Structure formats: structure tokens, C-alpha cells
Amino acid sequence: MRTRSPFVRGIQQLLGRETADPRIAQILFVVPALADFAFVALHGSSALEGTYLAGLGVVALSTAIAFVLGKRPAAERFSVLVPVLDIVALGLLRLDPESTATIALVFPATWLGLQFGRRGFAITLVMAVGVFGLPMLLRDEAAIDLARTVQQLLLAGGCAPSPSR
């Protein structure tokens, strides 16, 4: 019988609503974030803005936290910080017009919903409204930007399943 790799087992734990290794969930998030960085750096119309660079810094911080927490099972209750910081990072990355990183919202929203139940669902919605909705209200956005923001809020709500716990 073939044994599964630790990475595959980590994904199964996350999807099976078991206590998952935050390192695995974070790797799933970092891949599209790095792809977005490559796209924006190569095809962006101007130099990277400060908010985009700050978003990359938050991604690096949340990844470091995930790897520290992954080595300490006793610190599992603090693992909620990782997807919350990921959502903050996406909000900062989104401010660059060429960025498509928001699609990566699927990963922290799903992680919060599966791992933290109703509380995770509520955290996802509050964070998405704060990170994506609040800036929409504070600045005069064009119709396409408003549509993009509404899509992001729907994505967050749809990807954070609310299990019965």
C-alpha cells in the first residue's frame, strides 16, 4: 500500500475538518500570491506601489507565523492569525490595478470556515468587509472597481463554509 506524502495528508486534514498543519494551508495560499507578484512585476504598467509591497510583507509575515506554529501543536489556537493576515495581505495587493491576487481569497476563507466553524465564517466575513468593502466606501471607485469588490465579498462568503460547530 502506498503511503501519502505529508503534503497530501495535510490537505486531507484541512478538508476533513481535522486540525490541520498551518504550513500546508499557507503553501496553498502562497503559490497564487507569488504568481500574482510575478505577473505584476513583469507586466505591470509602473513600479510596484508601497501598498503592494506592504501586502507582500504581510504574506511573508503570515508565512513565517504559519511555519512557527506548524512546529508547535500547542499553539494551534493562534493559527487563526495566519488566514486573517492573508486576507489583510490580499486587501493590500488588490490596490494595485494589475493585481489578480484576490482570487487567492479562496484559500484563507475556506481554511477559516473548515477549521473554525461558525466563528471562522464570521471572521471571514468581517475581514472581507473591512479589507475590501471599507476602502470601497472611502474612495470614489469606478463601476468596474465596485463590481470587483462585490465579487470579492461574495467569494469570501461562498468559500467559508459554515459547518454546524
Side-chain angles (χ1 to χ4, degrees):
M1 179 188 229
R2 287 180 38 183
T3 60
R4 293 187 174 93
S5 72
F7 185 74
V8 171
R9 277 195 313 270
I11 293 172
Q12 289 174 330
Q13 288 173 337
L14 177 65
L15 295 176
R17 297 183 177 159
E18 300 173 35
T19 301
D21 185 343
R23 297 173 291 188
I24 302 299
Q26 188 63 14
I27 289 170
L28 293 173
F29 171 77
V30 167
V31 170
L34 288 176
D36 181 70
F37 169 66
F39 177 79
V40 170
L42 294 174
H43 300 290
S45 59
S46 62
L48 295 175
E49 295 180 19
T51 55
Y52 192 86
L53 294 174
L56 292 175
V58 175
V59 170
L61 174 65
S62 65
T63 302
I65 291 171
F67 276 81
V68 167
L69 293 177
K71 295 178 181 178
R72 297 185 176 148
E76 145 187 334
R77 66 187 170 127
F78 296 111
S79 67
V80 73
L81 289 173
V82 178
V84 165
L85 286 173
D86 288 344
I87 293 172
V88 169
L90 290 173
L92 291 168
L93 295 174
R94 177 217 181 261
L95 295 175
D96 189 296
E98 282 89 17
S99 176
T100 59
T102 307
I103 193 67
L105 182 59
V106 167
F107 298 107
T110 302
W111 181 5
L112 283 165
L114 291 175
Q115 292 294 299
F116 300 100
R118 290 183 185 146
R119 187 174 47 137
F121 179 77
I123 291 169
T124 300
L125 292 182
V126 167
M127 289 302 300
V129 167
V131 169
F132 299 110
L134 192 58
M136 175 185 74
L137 296 173
L138 295 177
R139 61 177 188 252
D140 188 27
E141 290 195 350
I144 193 158
D145 292 326
L146 291 175
R148 189 169 135 186
T149 299
V150 169
Q151 287 175 339
Q152 292 156 351
L153 296 174
L154 291 172
L155 179 68
C159 291
S162 180
S164 59
R165 26 173 203 151

